C-alpha cells in the first residue's frame, strides 16, 4: 500500500503498529508483539478509522495490523487507508465477515492477508511471519535503475495453437533463468489462462483497469499485480461472459506504460483480434512471438500476420514458433511446405508432449517449469535466451557489440545502433 512518498518520514518508521476495536484482540496481540521484538504499546484502540486519522499525520509502520470489525464498507475503507500509507507498508486486516469474495477483493486491493475473528494465536503468528518475509523480499525493478525494458507480445495464429502456454513459459523462464523482474499481462479478459497456468487467483485488477482507466498508476499496478514468485507477477481476468468489454484500448496501453516502469520485461499474451481492434498496443513492443501449428488455416493466418506486421509495425522483431508439433506422418502440412507457403523459416519447434502438458496443468505450473528436465523442451529455453538478449544488453555499447557478435543474437536486428531507443526516463 502506498500514499505519495514522503522522504522525511521514512527514517521514523516503527516496525509494527496495530489498531484494534476491542480489548480481547489487544490482549491477544500484545504478547505476540513482544515475542517478535515489537513494543506492545504499539497496539492501539480505534480500529480502521483511528488508523487512517493517525497515519495521515505520522509515518507508516513497516507492518500494520488493522481491525475491520466496525467497518460498514471494508473494501472502500481499506482503499482510504491506502491513501495515507507510505510505500512498502505490509497490511494485515482482521474482521468478522466470512466471505471469500471480500477476502479476494481485499487481497487484490493490496493487503497482505485477511484474518477471520475470533483470532487464533498461531494463525496470527504465521501471518506476521509471512508479512516479514514479504517485507524483506526483493522488490520489482524500479524504473529509475536505468535498465532497458523488453516488451514481448505472444500471439497465436489460431485458437488452440498454444500461445498462452508459450507466454506463461516465456515469462517464467525470463524471471527464473534470466533473473529479470517480469510481468505477464494476459489480455484475454474473458477466457485468459495466464493466472490458471501459474495457479493464481486472477483478481479484479484488469477488469477494474478497463472500467476505470484514470485509476491506473504505479500504486494501482502494485495492488493489482498478483505475485507468482519474487520476480514474476501476473495480471489477468476471468470476466463474466455475459459482460462485454467496451473499451477504446486506452486502459491496455496505459497498463503497458505503468508496467514498463516497474518491471524489466513484460510478456503480453495478446489475442490476435486485438491487432485489428487496438493496433496501437504493438507500438512499444520490441519482440513479437508468433505461435502456430502446421495446418493449412494456420499457414493462411501466418501470412496475414506477417503482412500486418510488415505494414503496421516494421520495427518489431518477429520470432516464429511452431507449437504442439506431432510426428511428420501426423502433420496436416509438412514443415517444409509450411515454410515455403509463408516464405519464412520457423525459428523454434516445440514438440507435442501430452503427458508433460497434463502434468503441468495438474501442478499449476508453466510447461517450461514442469518440463525443465525434458530435452524436448529445450526450444523454450532457447527462445527465452533469444528474447532476453534485448533486455540484457540495454544501452551499453560494449554489451550491445558482444550481443551483435553472436550469430543468433536478437539485438542486431532488434536495436540497430543508429535507431537504438534511449533508456526509460525517470518517473517523478
Amino acid at each position: 500500500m502506498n500514499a505519495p512518498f514522503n522522504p522525511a518520514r521514512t527514517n521514523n518508521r516503527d516496525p509494527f503498529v496495530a489498531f484494534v476495536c476491542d480489548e480481547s484482540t489487544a490482549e491477544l496481540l500484545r504478547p505476540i508483539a513482544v515475542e517478535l521484538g515489537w513494543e506492545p504499546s504499539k497496539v492501539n484502540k480505534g480500529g480502521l478509522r483511528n488508523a487512517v486519522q493517525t497515519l495521515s499525520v505520522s509515518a507508516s509502520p513497516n507492518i500494520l495490523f488493522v481491525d475491520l470489525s466496525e467497518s460498514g464498507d471494508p473494501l472502500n475503507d481499506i482503499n482510504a487507508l491506502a491513501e495515507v500509507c507510505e510505500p512498502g507498508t505490509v497490511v494485515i486486516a482482521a474482521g468478522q465477515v466470512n466471505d471469500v469474495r471480500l477476502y479476494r477483493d481485499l487481497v487484490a486491493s493490496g493487503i497482505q492477508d485477511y484474518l477471520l475473528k475470533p483470532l487464533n494465536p498461531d494463525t496470527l503468528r504465521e501471518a506476521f511471519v509471512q508479512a516479514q518475509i514479504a517485507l524483506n523480499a526483493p522488490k520489482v525493478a524500479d524504473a529509475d535503475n536505468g535498465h532497458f525494458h523488453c516488451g514481448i507480445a505472444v500471439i497465436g495464429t489460431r485458437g488452440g495453437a498454444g500461445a498462452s502456454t508459450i507466454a506463461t513459459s516465456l515469462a517464467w523462464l525470463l524471471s527464473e533463468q534470466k533473473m529479470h523482474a517480469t510481468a505477464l499481462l494476459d489480455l484475454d479478459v474473458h477466457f485468459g489462462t495466464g493466472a490458471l497456468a501459474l495457479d493464481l487467483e486472477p483478481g479484479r485488477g484488469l477488469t477494474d483497469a478497463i472500467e476505470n482507466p484514470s485509476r491506473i498508476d504505479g500504486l494501482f499496478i502494485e495492488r493489482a499485480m498478483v505475485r507468482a514468485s519474487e520476480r514474476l507477477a501476473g495480471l489477468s481476468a476471468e470476466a463474466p461472459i455475459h459482460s462485454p468489454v467496451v473499451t477504446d484500448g486506452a486502459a491496455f496501453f496505459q497498463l503497458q506504460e505503468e508496467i514498463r516502469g516497474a518491471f524489466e520485461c513484460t510478456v503480453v499474451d495478446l489475442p490476435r483480434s486485438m491487432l485489428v481492434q487496438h493496433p496501437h498496443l504493438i507500438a512499444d513492443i520490441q519482440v513479437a512471438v508468433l505461435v502456430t501449428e502446421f495446418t493449412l488455416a494456420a499457414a493462411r493466418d501466418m501470412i496475414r500476420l506477417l503482412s500486418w506486421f510488415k505494414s503496421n509495425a516494421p520495427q518489431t522483431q518477429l520470432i516464429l514458433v511452431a507449437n504442439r508439433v506431432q510426428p511428420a506422418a501426423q502433420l496436416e502440412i509438412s514443415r517444409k511446405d509450411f515454410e515455403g507457403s509463408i516464405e519464412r523459416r520457423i525459428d523454434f519447434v516445440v514438440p507435442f508432449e501430452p503427458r508433460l502438458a497434463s502434468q503441468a496443468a495438474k501442478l499449476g505450473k508453466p510447461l517450461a517449469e514442469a518440463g525443465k528436465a525434458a530435452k524436448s523442451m529445450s526450444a523454450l529455453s532457447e527462445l527465452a535466451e533469444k528474447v532476453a538478449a534485448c533486455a540484457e544488453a540495454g544501452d551499453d555499447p560494449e554489451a550491445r557489440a558482444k550481443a551483435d557478435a553472436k550469430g543468433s543474437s536478437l539485438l542486431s536486428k532488434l536495436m540497430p545502433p543508429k535507431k537504438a531507443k534511449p533508456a526509460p526516463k525517470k518517473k517523478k
Side-chain angles (χ1 to χ4, degrees), residues 164-184 197-198 228-233 265 267 364-373 377 380-381 384:
S164 294
T165 299
I166 298 297
T168 52
S169 291
L170 183 57
W172 183 83
L173 288 164
L174 289 171
S175 66
E176 293 299 318
Q177 293 189 5
K178 305 306 296 180
M179 309 298 285
H180 291 305
T182 304
L184 174 63
L198 297 174
S229 67
E230 291 182 5
R231 291 177 297 275
L232 177 60
C265 297
V267 178
K365 294 181 178 180
L367 185 63
E369 182 179 6
K372 57 187 175 183
M377 294 294 105
L380 292 175
S381 295

Side-chain angles (χ1 to χ4, degrees), residues 91-344:
V91 179
I92 299 172
Q96 297 174 330
V97 180
N98 187 8
D99 185 341
V100 67
R101 274 187 271 184
L102 174 63
Y103 170 81
R104 290 175 178 173
D105 289 344
L106 288 172
V107 171
S109 72
I111 73 167
Q112 169 76 12
D113 203 353
Y114 174 74
L115 308 179
L116 189 64
K117 298 178 68 174
L119 298 172
N120 178 286
D122 292 335
T123 302
L124 198 56
R125 289 188 185 91
E126 177 63 21
F128 285 136
V129 169
Q130 292 301 320
Q132 289 177 315
I133 292 173
L135 193 66
N136 296 322
K139 307 301 181 183
V140 296
D142 192 345
D144 293 345
N145 60 15
H147 289 302
F148 179 78
H149 179 272
C150 190
I152 307 138
V154 182
I155 305 165
T157 56
R158 303 289 298 171
S164 294
T165 299
I166 298 297
T168 52
S169 291
L170 183 57
W172 183 83
L173 288 164
L174 289 171
S175 66
E176 293 299 318
Q177 293 189 5
K178 305 306 296 180
M179 309 298 285
H180 291 305
T182 304
L184 174 63
L185 178 59
D186 186 349
L187 293 185
D188 189 341
V189 180
H190 291 97
F191 301 103
T193 58
L196 190 64
L198 297 174
D199 196 24
L200 301 174
E201 287 289 342
R204 293 179 52 183
L206 184 54
T207 52
D208 286 347
I210 296 170
E211 293 170 1
N212 302 288
S214 61
R215 290 184 55 197
I216 302 173
D217 56 15
L219 172 58
F220 179 89
I221 293 300
E222 181 177 333
R223 293 180 185 173
M225 300 296 289
V226 182
R227 179 76 54 185
S229 67
E230 291 182 5
R231 291 177 297 275
L232 177 60
L235 185 61
S236 62
E238 293 176 4
I241 59 177
H242 57 76
S243 301
V245 174
V246 180
T247 175
D248 60 0
F252 300 138
F253 187 77
Q254 195 167 346
L255 278 172
Q256 287 179 301
E257 285 286 315
E258 292 297 336
I259 290 174
R260 186 180 300 113
F263 293 85
E264 294 172 318
C265 297
T266 303
V267 178
V268 184
D269 188 350
L270 188 68
R272 58 181 182 161
S273 60
M274 283 198 168
L275 294 179
V276 180
Q277 299 169 355
H278 312 298
H280 58 280
L281 295 181
I282 296 294
D284 292 316
I285 293 294
Q286 287 85 33
V287 186
V289 180
L290 305 184
V291 183
T292 186
E293 294 179 310
F294 288 141
T295 65
L296 181 62
R300 180 202 66 181
D301 291 342
M302 178 64 83
I303 293 171
R304 300 168 76 189
L305 286 172
L306 291 173
S307 176
W308 186 94
F309 274 95
K310 183 177 181 179
S311 300
N312 296 276
Q315 80 285 353
T316 302
Q317 170 71 22
L318 301 181
I319 300 176
L320 276 55
V321 178
N323 190 35
R324 298 167 54 87
V325 176
Q326 302 188 46
Q330 300 179 30
L331 293 177
E332 183 177 320
I333 301 179
S334 69
R335 176 176 179 176
K336 181 178 179 181
D337 289 342
F338 188 95
E339 291 177 332
S341 66
I342 68 172
E343 299 181 347
R344 177 163 179 152

